[in-house]
Amino acid sequence: DGGITQSPKYLFRKEGQNVTLSCEQNLNHDAMYWYRQDPGQGLRLIYYSQIVNDFQKGDIAEGYSVSREKKESFPLTVTSAQKNPTAFYLCASSMAGPSTDTQYFGPGTRLTVL
Amino acid sequence: AQSVTQLDSQVPVFEEAPVELRCNYSSSVSVYLFWYVQYPNQGLQLLLKYLSGSTLVKGINGFEAEFNKSQTSFHLRKPSVHISDTAEYFCAASYQGNTPLVFGKGTRLSVIA
């Protein structure tokens, strides 16, 4: 089955710890995205990547970092610099660029910082 | 900055009744418009999109939307809803160039039996 896998589904961390969220796709898509979802806020773009070894900041990149060493993988690290990291994180991918292509979403990771 | 406004945060509707979820976007020469649906604790799934051509766009699950340039709107409609349509619906837009999607804050549709 083709799709996007995010792991884990639920993640708990202590304040001050860095944590990495996994995102893998087997759709052979070039572009991948990370969004943060908070109640009543919609989706806000953290980072996106249109090609391996290249990525761009989104609207709320502060306190987050990413890498794109392989086409299939786009991990997101939530660092201790992120002031309010508790949220639902969604990864997505699309065939090519972000403006016209359908984005396919993973099931999400719910991060809770204690 | 470009924006997308979903005018209703919650819409309750009885089963088999029609529904309209409203979306307005920032005026732009070139805009691409999308509606996505999110079922509880899941990712988003595309319902439909407008890139060009006919202003009436038909999507999955009986939904349709109409692109209205003069009103800068892209409202989503369904003539008869089912309990299974209960979900959160997001309108999104991409503006000139290869720019990322801008999402609205979502509308929670609750279908009442």
Side-chain angles (χ1 to χ4, degrees), chain B residues 10-24:
Chain B
Q10 297 186 59
V11 173
V13 62
F14 286 104
E15 194 174 16
E16 298 183 8
V19 70
E20 178 180 83
L21 305 183
R22 298 180 293 168
C23 172
N24 286 91

Side-chain angles (χ1 to χ4, degrees), chain B residues 27-39:
Chain B
S27 179
S28 175
V29 172
S30 175
V31 65
Y32 308 113
L33 296 159
F34 303 75
W35 276 99
Y36 283 86
V37 60
Q38 184 181 32
Y39 299 103

Side-chain angles (χ1 to χ4, degrees), chain A residues 9-10 35 37 40-43 45 48 50 88 90 97-103 105-107 110, chain B residues 32 34 36 38 41-44 46 49 51 88 90 94-95 97-101 103-106:
Chain A
K9 189 172 178 67
Y10 298 96
Y35 293 94
Q37 185 177 17
Q41 294 296 315
L43 275 69
L45 183 65
Y48 68 105
Q50 296 188 68
F88 189 53
L90 287 162
S99 59
T100 60
D101 288 342
T102 298
Q103 292 189 21
F105 285 80
R110 190 167 298 279
Chain B
Y32 308 113
F34 303 75
Y36 283 86
Q38 184 181 32
N41 295 311
Q42 294 186 26
L44 279 68
L46 181 73
K49 64 181 177 181
L51 302 181
E88 189 149 22
F90 292 94
S94 176
Y95 296 92
N98 195 26
T99 58
L101 289 183
F103 282 85
K105 293 188 175 183

Side-chain angles (χ1 to χ4, degrees), chain A residues 30-33 47-52 54-56 68 74:
Chain A
D30 286 323
M32 297 186 74
Y33 314 82
Y47 271 98
Y48 68 105
S49 167
Q50 296 188 68
I51 195 169
V52 173
D54 188 42
F55 46 82
Q56 289 78 42
R68 186 87 187 275
F74 192 41

